[in-house]
Amino acid sequence: IVTYNNRSIANISAIPGAAKSLTLIKTVTASSSSTVSFVNGSSDVVLDNTYPIYLIKVINAHRSTTSSEQTFTFNLSADTGSNYNVTKTTTVFDAYHRENDASTGLNYLASQDIAQGTGFQNLTPEVELGEDDDASSSGQLFLFNPSSTTFVKHFMWTGNHMSYYSTPWSINSFIAGYANTTSAIDAIQFKMSSGNIDAGTFKLYGLKDS
């Protein structure tokens, strides 16, 4: 427990343990974008051994088409973005609640996970991302030690999206897994399963060791 003897909070010049550990690396604003990518060494992006942990915050990713089958997805690359096809094993579960209070639930979604597959992982499971003008997906993705050439690369997503349905749902998704490769991961990409990302803000951060 840290206590302060100063009479005024204005006299406190520093707080122990408050050193900045989260560094903003790059912000990308989508506007009818087919993809949003962060590639190490491109456009001032750092995605290497500079940081042991990377965090991407997704703010109001909105779809651009009216297809009911549109989902928000991501994948990883081990060749600086030439291919986004890294082998992954993932697990997916979510909690949901309808706007009209008609149904609620907590589900493991075996149909949404990946078992040693190379495809894009769906980040908006259960019911597709809503097409309403005010519908979007927001969340955060942690990527751990992507430059390691010894271990697989773990990642975790927590997000919430407004679903596509006659009466929309709030769906809180929890997705985790690993890229099953000892090659360094040096790029990450987000896209809709079809159509463009109409709007959204994507922020890449690096987390220091201490």
Side-chain angles (χ1 to χ4, degrees):
I1 299 175
V2 178
T3 60
Y4 300 99
N5 295 322
N6 309 68
R7 285 186 174 274
S8 172
I9 194 70
N11 295 325
I12 299 175
S13 59
I15 299 176
K20 185 176 181 181
S21 60
L22 190 63
T23 302
L24 177 61
I25 298 170
K26 180 77 174 182
T27 300
V28 175
T29 301
S31 179
S32 296
S33 305
S34 59
T35 62
V36 170
S37 305
F38 295 99
V39 181
N40 182 52
S42 175
S43 302
D44 300 320
V45 169
V46 174
L47 192 61
D48 56 17
N49 61 2
T50 302
Y51 299 96
I53 304 170
Y54 287 86
L55 167 64
I56 298 175
K57 290 183 177 287
V58 178
I59 303 164
N60 291 334
H62 176 68
R63 62 188 247 183
S64 61
T65 73
T66 57
S67 166
S68 64
E69 299 300 321
Q70 196 168 7
T71 59
F72 180 55
T73 70
F74 95 103
N75 211 335
L76 302 164
S77 173
D79 53 13
T80 56
S82 294
N83 299 280
Y84 290 92
N85 59 356
V86 173
T87 300
K88 297 171 296 299
T89 291
T90 66
T91 182
V92 180
F93 73 95
D94 69 9
Y96 64 85
H97 189 189
R98 291 279 293 278
E99 279 187 5
N100 61 4
D101 205 26
S103 59
T104 62
L106 177 66
N107 290 324
Y108 176 73
L109 300 171
S111 64
Q112 302 290 310
D113 62 21
I114 296 174
Q116 289 299 95
T118 60
F120 276 69
Q121 172 64 55
N122 180 13
L123 298 177
T124 51
E126 188 80 50
V127 182
E128 293 81 5
L129 183 59
E131 68 177 354
D132 297 15
D133 288 341
D134 61 347
S136 66
S137 174
S138 295
Q140 58 184 13
L141 179 74
F142 285 93
L143 177 60
F144 299 91
N145 201 17
S147 64
S148 173
T149 55
T150 302
F151 299 107
V152 299
K153 319 304 184 295
H154 296 274
F155 54 83
M156 297 188 302
W157 163 269
T158 303
N160 199 82
H161 70 282
M162 178 180 173
S163 73
Y164 173 91
Y165 210 76
S166 56
T167 301
W169 311 32
S170 172
I171 301 180
N172 190 198
S173 56
F174 302 86
I175 299 165
Y178 55 85
N180 196 7
T181 178
T182 55
S183 297
I185 296 299
D186 50 18
I188 184 169
Q189 184 176 90
F190 298 86
K191 68 177 184 178
M192 296 295 175
S193 57
S194 63
N196 292 337
I197 304 173
D198 178 60
T201 302
F202 296 74
K203 291 180 172 289
L204 173 67
Y205 296 86
L207 279 74
K208 298 177 181 178
D209 282 320
S210 59

